[in-house]
Amino acid sequence: MSNKFRQNNKEALQKEYDLIVIGGGITGAGIALDAITRGLSVIVLEMQDYAAGTSSRSTKLVHGGLRYLKNFEVKMVAEVGKEREIVYENGPHVTTPEWMMLPFYEKGTFGPFTTNVGLRVYDFLAGVKKDERRQMLSTEETIDREPLLKREGLKGSGYYVEYKTGDARLTLEVLKKAVEKGAKAFNYMKVEQLLYNDGQVIGVKAHDLTDGEVHHVYGKKVVNATGPWVDQIRSMDHVEKDKYLFHTKGVHLVFDHTKFPLQQAVYFDTPDGRMVFAIPRDGKTTWELRTHLLKVT
Ligand SMILES: Cc1cc2nc3c(=O)[nH]c(=O)nc-3n(C[C@H](O)[C@H](O)[C@H](O)COP(=O)(O)OP(=O)(O)OC[C@H]3O[C@@H](n4cnc5c(N)ncnc54)[C@H](O)[C@@H]3O)c2cc1C
């Protein structure tokens, strides 16, 4: 939004909305689009730029829910698979299918049997398209597709499809559509306080970080879509103190593709339960590692 447009639209901050969404990441953008298409009036308030939170720092995969299968979360796999299809149908320009390799090794967590059965069940539950259904590769086929894999103990691999996306771009596309349909959105607008009437939240006090102005924005409902910051808003509402978010930490190691010439996206399920993705993309090879849960106090 240009500064001129922003200034001309500031009266939008004086109105009362059906819904105020705090947070302009993918969750806030998705809620805004959903609400506006149901006929509700909506405003999104974001304290940084849109998607500047975790929505621009992901591994950039629209997961199909394979990892939930490990815990037998059958309903979740089916739902996530269908949602992925919807994202692809609505945004083929920001979503691309990517074949992912799941190698298995002697004494590894998964073997050919469990991988085969797991991926087959996954195809069924997630409603995977015929030409994207799992394949099982021999050791030779696996090495052919990814010569950098450790050969020792390699028994073959499962081959299945994940979808790649530009996470920040996807967020912006969703938000743009919501705004096109009539939603209002302001970035650099930090919510600093909730407003109450008779103990009910009736709006928010928002601080425009571009010019220092403070606005009272009113809404029938306020949604906290602030991702990792969720407890900061919750603490404004004086909610119980014994329930709070545990943050996980993710680390991306990015190598120049000439130094780490991985050809094929690979997903390892490590013995300690962590997921590791290695993905070649845009002249780089990215490793994503997730650490164990960290307690944030
Ligand atoms: C390392 C890593 C890799 C990941 N990889 C994937 C992946 O490949 N695929 C996938 O689907 N998911 C992945 N995820 C998860 C995904 O990134 C998150 O689930 C998603 O981005 C959460 O979006 P969100 O909108 O809830 O939060 P965010 O994107 O963090 O948005 C919250 C927003 O709220 C704003 N905000 C906070 N406080 C206020 C306030 N007081 N006033 C106004 N605004 C405020 C913040 O500025 C922020 O922009 C990954 C996560 C990590 C950490």
Side-chain angles (χ1 to χ4, degrees), residues 1-12 186:
M1 188 197 290
S2 74
N3 194 40
K4 195 170 163 206
F5 183 85
R6 185 185 179 94
Q7 294 310 326
N8 292 342
N9 274 274
K10 279 239 170 138
E11 78 273 11
F186 284 83

Side-chain angles (χ1 to χ4, degrees), residues 23 25-27 46-48 54-55 58-61 191 228 290:
I26 190 64
T27 307
E46 164 56 55
M47 70 175 177
Q48 310 180 74
T54 41
S55 296
S58 80
T59 310
K60 296 160 193 355
L61 293 173
V191 170
R290 291 208 193 170

Side-chain angles (χ1 to χ4, degrees), residues 140-254:
E140 286 316 311
E141 286 168 327
T142 303
I143 286 290
D144 270 359
R145 285 181 206 203
E146 187 40 73
L148 288 181
L149 280 176
K150 189 175 87 175
R151 219 194 150 99
E152 195 192 324
L154 182 66
K155 307 279 283 178
S157 62
Y159 207 45
Y160 73 103
V161 169
E162 288 275 15
Y163 283 52
K164 273 198 303 196
T165 190
D167 50 4
R169 174 93 195 273
L170 182 66
T171 306
L172 287 177
E173 293 294 317
V174 173
L175 196 57
K176 272 162 59 189
K177 185 51 88 181
V179 169
E180 189 187 306
K181 301 251 172 217
K184 303 290 175 196
F186 284 83
N187 54 2
Y188 300 103
M189 191 67 75
K190 184 174 183 186
V191 170
E192 293 186 333
Q193 206 181 309
L194 300 175
L195 305 172
Y196 292 86
N197 185 20
D198 275 345
Q200 288 287 317
V201 177
I202 53 157
V204 301
K205 187 171 134 190
H207 183 183
D208 187 334
L209 302 177
T210 64
D211 59 13
E213 280 182 16
V214 171
H215 302 272
H216 287 194
V217 188
Y218 292 93
K220 294 194 182 96
K221 300 278 176 206
V222 178
V223 176
N224 180 0
T226 57
W229 291 268
V230 75
D231 286 329
Q232 288 181 13
I233 303 292
R234 290 180 73 242
S235 69
M236 292 176 195
D237 195 31
H238 314 294
V239 283
E240 70 266 46
K241 297 269 183 292
D242 58 338
K243 197 174 156 198
Y244 50 91
L245 205 69
F246 275 58
H247 288 187
T248 56
K249 192 172 172 68
V251 176
H252 288 113
L253 303 175
V254 182

